Amino acid sequence: MNFKQTDFVKKYAGNPILTPADIPYPAAQVYNAGITKFNGKYVMIFRDDYGRYEEDFRKQQEIALRTGEPYRWPPNTQITLGLAFSDDGFHWEVQPNPCLELKTDEIAHIYDPRLTVIDGRCYLCFAVNTNHGVLGGIAVTDDFENFEYLTMTTPDNRNMVLFPEKIDGKFMRLERPFPVYSRAGNEEFDIWCSKSPDCRYWGESKLLLGAEQVPYSNSKIGPAAPPIKTEKGWLTTIHAVEKINGELYSWHPDWNKIYYGGLILLDPEDPTKIIGMSKKPFLVPEHEYETKGMRGSVIFPGGMILEDSGEVKIYYGAADTVECVATADVADLLKLCGV
């Protein structure tokens, strides 16, 4: 497969909008952020990986970008979540300290945040690495200083996102379980949906989309940014992975995965039904900040905001190293889904 970037999706000329150099505390990678609008401000909670000897990392990065050779560095030792605000969604003011760090004897760290405003409160979905597997969790906040933890899954589940409205009086989420054996022992992970009366106890789980149904993936898929409500239905981003024969730019050898951004459209009344899907990805790694980094050729949408003008801001992590944004008209995104 050889996909080209969709013409009507415009990547911001000022990308990346957040880099490790923008962070006033230790940071080697800042990416996979959750973004929403809350109380008149754009809000970002981003993943911050640090402990990679940041100065050495930057030197190695400069050498790698100059020579074209991959740079290598040891796995990170710490992950925390940082907080930033913006008036326009493009220029960000990072707060002086991390907003959230979850670490216990059992929990290694919290990461990959997603933000959704429901009934005037901001909900945070996240992943958690523990000694006994990967969990998905949900917390809620009103001020980004105090977080109430509502629920965590059993292993192994992650990439959870919430719908911004209750469906028939219930919370609804998309999620990506990944059983250790998967199907036939491959990374063919799928998207499921679940419902809850209170955002604490979840059930009514149902398969939404199988990896084999996505024409630009030969591996795993999963939720990306939380859905947005449009006149045609719930517009939802997904991430989709293509494994290639060969090696891509990465800090470690044998990296052969390209991550794309895709779209599905869900029924406005019953979001467990898919009514449209893009036949090709709408976000494709092409620029150096997307193809070179911790893991090159990775695009991972984490936030999507529909403005009153019809413009959609799509925020995404690039190369597992920086945070970026692209824009498109909502009508064009819907057309890509076939409606």
Side-chain angles (χ1 to χ4, degrees):
M1 291 180 277
N2 185 19
F3 296 104
K4 301 296 184 183
Q5 176 60 47
T6 308
D7 289 340
F8 61 78
V9 176
K10 305 300 181 184
K11 293 176 180 175
Y12 178 49
N15 277 342
I17 58 172
L18 195 70
T19 74
D22 300 319
I23 313 305
Y25 43 85
Q29 304 151 248
V30 288
Y31 63 111
N32 287 6
I35 295 96
T36 190
K37 270 187 171 179
F38 188 71
N39 292 339
K41 281 268 192 181
Y42 294 85
V43 183
M44 174 193 296
I45 295 184
F46 57 89
R47 171 177 174 168
D48 169 27
D49 293 16
Y50 64 100
R52 293 184 191 277
Y53 307 100
E54 284 77 18
E55 290 304 316
D56 182 61
F57 162 78
R58 292 193 180 97
K59 291 177 183 177
Q60 293 299 317
Q61 185 182 50
E62 290 172 2
I63 294 170
L65 293 176
R66 186 171 64 249
T67 64
E69 293 296 321
Y71 46 89
R72 317 291 190 189
W73 67 90
N76 62 282
T77 57
Q78 301 291 335
I79 300 176
T80 189
L81 300 184
L83 177 66
F85 296 100
S86 173
D87 291 323
D88 63 3
F90 297 101
H91 304 88
W92 293 85
E93 181 182 351
V94 179
Q95 300 305 290
N97 297 296
C99 71
L100 196 59
E101 187 166 21
L102 186 61
K103 189 174 178 65
T104 67
D105 290 341
E106 171 63 16
I107 295 173
H109 45 245
I110 181 174
Y111 60 106
D112 288 358
R114 304 288 179 263
L115 297 178
T116 308
V117 176
I118 308 171
D119 295 337
R121 308 192 75 195
C122 192
Y123 289 77
L124 171 71
C125 294
F126 52 86
V128 180
N129 281 355
T130 77
N131 297 333
H132 296 87
V134 177
L135 316 183
I138 302 174
V140 65
T141 184
D142 298 305
D143 55 14
F144 302 100
E145 295 180 2
N146 302 287
F147 292 84
E148 178 187 1
Y149 293 99
L150 301 176
T151 187
M152 288 197 190
T153 68
T154 55
D156 282 300
N157 201 343
R158 60 176 298 188
N159 300 136
M160 298 192 324
V161 297
L162 290 168
F163 283 73
E165 293 181 9
K166 295 177 183 176
I167 310 297
D168 294 329
K170 295 182 179 179
F171 291 89
M172 184 170 172
R173 76 184 183 197
L174 304 179
E175 56 199 327
R176 204 282 305 279
F178 51 117
V180 64
Y181 294 111
S182 183
R183 303 200 310 277
N186 298 315
E187 279 189 320
E188 295 178 5
F189 306 137
D190 313 302
I191 299 176
W192 288 66
C193 56
S194 298
K195 297 179 181 180
S196 171
D198 55 8
C199 213
R200 295 179 184 272
Y201 301 98
W202 291 84
E204 300 182 67
S205 300
K206 179 181 178 180
L207 176 68
L208 179 73
L209 181 67
E212 74 282 357
Q213 296 174 267
V214 178
Y216 41 94
S217 171
N218 59 14
S219 182
K220 58 188 175 182
I221 63 170
I228 58 173
K229 190 175 187 179
T230 74
E231 61 180 10
K232 300 290 186 179
W234 293 100
L235 186 62
T236 306
T237 57
I238 65 171
H239 70 271
V241 177
E242 176 192 2
K243 289 184 177 179
I244 66 166
N245 293 321
E247 187 172 345
L248 297 165
Y249 195 99
S250 173
W251 72 275
H252 61 80
D254 302 322
W255 176 248
N256 68 338
K257 298 175 185 177
I258 303 175
Y259 276 65
Y260 301 113
L263 291 168
I264 56 176
L265 186 66
L266 306 179
D267 185 274
E269 304 300 327
D270 182 3
T272 67
K273 296 179 180 178
I274 297 173
I275 59 175
M277 182 172 66
S278 60
K279 301 302 182 185
K280 60 182 181 179
F282 80 106
L283 278 176
V284 174
E286 56 177 353
H287 297 295
E288 192 170 79
Y289 58 78
E290 299 163 339
T291 60
K292 293 185 177 182
M294 179 194 172
R295 289 193 177 99
S297 300
V298 172
I299 277 181
F300 205 112
M304 186 163 55
I305 295 175
L306 175 58
E307 307 288 10
D308 293 339
S309 64
E311 179 187 72
V312 180
K313 291 184 175 72
I314 305 116
Y315 295 90
Y316 63 96
D320 281 0
T321 305
V322 295
E323 186 67 21
C324 303
V325 65
T327 58
D329 190 277
V330 67
D332 290 326
L333 296 176
L334 291 171
K335 286 178 185 176
L336 196 62
C337 293
V339 298

